[in-house]
Amino acid sequence: MFKSLKFPVVAAVLALSGLATAGPLGIGSTATAEMIAGWDIDVRPDGMGLPDGEGSVAEGEGLYEAKCASCHGLFGEGEGRWPVLAGGEGTLDTLHPEKTVGSYWPYASTLWDYIYRAMPYPVPQSLSHEEVYSIAAYVLYLNDIVGDDFVSNKDTFAEVKMPNEENFFIDNRPDVNNERCFKNCADPSKFEIVTTINGVTPTGHFKEDSGVAANHYDGNPSAVSESGISTEKNITKVALSEGATLGRGVYDMACQACHNSGIAGAPKVGDVAGWVDRIGQGMDTLNDHAINGYQGADGVMPAKGGNMALSDDDVVNAVAFMVESSR
Amino acid sequence: MTKLYEPSLPKLMEAIAAEAGGMKGIDRRNFLKGGIAAVAGLSSVQMIPKANASTNLPPNLPEWQRHLGSGVVAKPYGEPSEFEDLQRRTVPWLTVDAASSISMTPLQDLEGIITPSGVVFERYHGGIPNVNPDQHRLIIHGLVERPLVLTMDDLKRFPSVSEIRFIECPANGGMEWRGAQMEALQFTHGMLACCEWTGVKLSTLLEEVGVRPEGKWILAEGADAAGMSRSIPLEKALDDTIIAWGQNGEALRPEQGYPLRMLNPGWEGNTSVKWLRRLEIGDQPWHHREETSKYTDLMPDGRSRRFTWVMETNSVITSPCPENPLKEPGFLEIRGLAWSGRGKIKAVDISFDGGVNWERTELKGLVLSKALTQFSFKTKWNGQPWLLQSRAIDETGYVQPTLRQLRDERGGWSIYHKNSIHTWNVTETGDVFNVQIS
């Protein structure tokens, strides 16, 4: 009889004091399974985190072409300077290594994880699990890692082996050992002095004759970049109205991700054919669509490009910039 | 009869200041040099014949001493003098889009070791999220006894620490692997900053949740559009990782992760996940995109180093530099910065002949672990050309390597972790150029 009484009392005291669940300082609240489930999106090489659902290479093809190809190219070759996804096998030990999903990425799980968390670039975490399975399968197919009949799900996906997996090793630096020498440490007769190529970097802030300004994101001049030779097309230089001049900065910040690439069916700046019918609708209609959002046959324009921090005037100015640069 | 409007001097100066306020860089400097004189030439300004720069010089009483200045809280949050031109800058062709890009700290214009929050370099993978701190949560879960969700108020109840630490993008100098390319210090070394960071040690939070014995790794994840994520080993978390909400005496700036970020002292900046929303404890690393596809080091044989976290010892001369040329002969204090992800800077040496002969410099000011450290060398410049270099040594004895040593080991096509000795060519005219000696 004592026994049956004792346990409920102890449990009640623990529940009141919170001692049963609290840490040393008793700060914070329990993260519920439901909270965690909503945020726990990560996937690991051992398959941990892969959700239910599945998708095929065939389904992935259409999705990829609609949602990915405008930046990454129809065959994963990369549009402009957006990342190349396919190819590059056998280049890693050459002078022009091409690091793609197929040639470089050690684990297929990374592809699933990254597409789900961060893609499509302007609208992250908008894809369903099935869509991610399909698109990931298609990207693996573009890299000849799976066949065209591949259906990906949490079992098959975790089984995919990437060709470059074994070529990664843990950091073994320090890898060089310089001596703290003070006299005659180098032979000056063998010096070869390599200088920079003038005009590659912005110096307008400290050189009066430079003419190359920093800070402006206009996609030119093209030069050697971290990822190789730039091929980005320059936006045609035209005389801009005052509104369009102001709108250029807004465009750089908020619009160009789509309107410089064609993501989501967005007409590209400078694409005269793509803009002519739209311009024909009149500026009022264009501004209305840009401010309030618009779903058309060719694509979708989120209200203010999804950036509600922009004022209506900002958007109108950005539209003016795009229109005036696309006639 | 209506009198014609004649602007008063204060009004006119105000208008001029307003116009100058909209100017940047060279426009602004040209204005400051020539603007006043140009204004003085207008007929409407004959009432202020003394409004040219020279009247402010001795023996004259300067204009700003002849009337009252603005009072308290004219600017409730202050900003640099309008005569300063302190700006982050970027190299637009480096990346394809501003929301996934980098800008650089203006090291050439800074004093001491603390980087003002407004000019700390930026690196985003999906832009800056506009996080409401009242609605921000940090969830800690996985292999723990007590999964927790923490508000910002909760976090600030934990015992806090404030530490001065540098943060550096591993791509700092990355454009220079293949050859001298950047024509300014801001672009060769500006993916670097040093701030005082305030927050709770991650080890304290881990005690609160109770890590299970099999927990060895932590996934840190941001609340940005990229959901930036990195795997951090438990040893680092228990050593010196800070979960920070403060920077240089105030809340983190949005650019640096407001309201909450991870800070892994001495490690590549990318691991210090900003806008931190989630920590998951696991038994193995996640191998996410930013630790496989990116931020790994491809070697000449086609194999790649991964988990290259530590930023090795580095240094650079900040004056003179391309932005700060030598203007006259005579006495010169050569100044620079050194830093090491492994601890304190022990010494910095300087060479005037491209690394043939070296001399010791003096360290000055605070010498802190994993923080920018100033060095100084007093000399005279009499118009002779120099191949100026600095070489840092840290408390582990590691000596900053030459570019040739790095290239011999890692090839010429690497991107990250370039910490080699840097060369400025000072010419007879005092101009300074970025060069490489190979």
Side-chain angles (χ1 to χ4, degrees), chain B residues 42-57:
Chain B
L42 298 172
S43 60
S44 66
V45 204
Q46 281 168 358
M47 53 189 282
I48 46 162
K50 287 181 179 172
N52 71 62
S54 65
T55 62
N56 288 325
L57 298 176

Side-chain angles (χ1 to χ4, degrees), chain A residues 257-277:
Chain A
C258 295
H259 285 283
N260 192 30
S261 65
I263 291 173
K268 290 195 204 183
V269 170
D271 173 10
V272 176
W275 278 91
V276 65
D277 289 347

Side-chain angles (χ1 to χ4, degrees), chain B residues 391-408:
Chain B
R391 177 179 72 185
I393 297 96
D394 71 15
E395 63 180 338
T396 72
Y398 176 93
V399 181
Q400 185 182 353
T402 64
L403 180 57
R404 178 176 292 183
Q405 286 176 316
L406 279 194
R407 283 205 183 119
D408 284 351

Side-chain angles (χ1 to χ4, degrees), chain B residues 49-263:
Chain B
K50 287 181 179 172
N52 71 62
S54 65
T55 62
N56 288 325
L57 298 176
N60 299 319
L61 193 62
E63 184 276 326
W64 45 82
Q65 203 171 3
R66 285 183 268 140
H67 58 84
L68 287 174
S70 4
V72 297
V73 291
K75 286 176 181 167
Y77 193 105
E79 58 192 54
S81 160
E82 64 178 83
F83 299 100
E84 291 301 310
D85 184 27
L86 194 62
Q87 297 185 35
R88 291 189 274 243
R89 293 183 178 85
T90 187
V91 180
W93 51 259
L94 274 180
T95 53
V96 65
D97 183 45
S100 180
S101 188
I102 187 141
S103 71
M104 293 77 160
T105 303
L107 296 176
Q108 71 281 1
D109 296 326
L110 297 183
E111 313 288 350
I113 62 169
I114 298 291
T115 310
S117 300
V119 291
V120 169
F121 75 98
E122 306 158 280
R123 175 72 174 105
Y124 312 127
H125 294 76
I128 314 169
N130 188 22
V131 179
N132 178 339
D134 295 337
Q135 295 163 22
H136 185 71
R137 295 292 182 272
L138 174 65
I139 289 183
I140 311 178
H141 71 107
L143 298 175
V144 300
E145 300 298 337
R146 296 170 290 276
L148 285 181
V149 56
L150 298 162
T151 65
M152 290 306 299
D153 284 344
D154 290 337
L155 285 158
K156 291 176 183 177
R157 286 178 60 201
F158 284 98
S160 67
V161 294
S162 292
E163 289 170 358
I164 295 172
R165 300 284 183 254
F166 79 83
I167 185 162
E168 183 183 19
C169 176
N172 201 15
M175 296 85 82
E176 304 280 299
W177 272 105
R178 295 169 211 183
Q181 208 178 181
M182 298 287 126
E183 297 160 70
L185 168 64
Q186 185 162 10
F187 303 128
T188 59
H189 289 80
M191 301 179 193
L192 173 69
C194 184
C195 297
E196 185 191 55
W197 307 95
T198 297
V200 53
K201 289 198 77 176
L202 179 51
S203 57
T204 306
L205 295 181
L206 293 179
E207 271 175 47
E208 195 68 11
V209 295
V211 175
R212 293 187 185 156
E214 61 272 33
K216 297 287 177 233
W217 288 82
I218 301 176
L219 182 76
E221 181 181 86
D224 57 330
M228 244 297 303
S229 55
R230 287 290 303 250
S231 304
I232 309 296
L234 192 67
E235 298 79 47
K236 179 68 175 176
L238 295 177
D239 177 19
D240 61 358
T241 302
I242 300 170
I243 304 302
W245 55 78
Q247 175 186 10
N248 292 340
E250 60 178 349
L252 291 171
R253 291 293 173 88
E255 297 95 316
Q256 267 72 57
Y258 180 85
L260 192 68
R261 76 172 304 166
M262 175 175 267
L263 189 84

Side-chain angles (χ1 to χ4, degrees), chain A residues 196-203 205-207 210 212, chain B residues 176 180-188 321-323 424 432-434:
Chain A
T196 59
I197 310 159
N198 281 330
V200 173
T201 46
T203 49
H205 54 295
F206 67 96
K207 279 188 192 166
S210 154
V212 188
Chain B
E176 304 280 299
Q181 208 178 181
M182 298 287 126
E183 297 160 70
L185 168 64
Q186 185 162 10
F187 303 128
T188 59
C321 68
E323 297 99 315
W424 296 131
V432 181
F433 297 96
N434 175 22

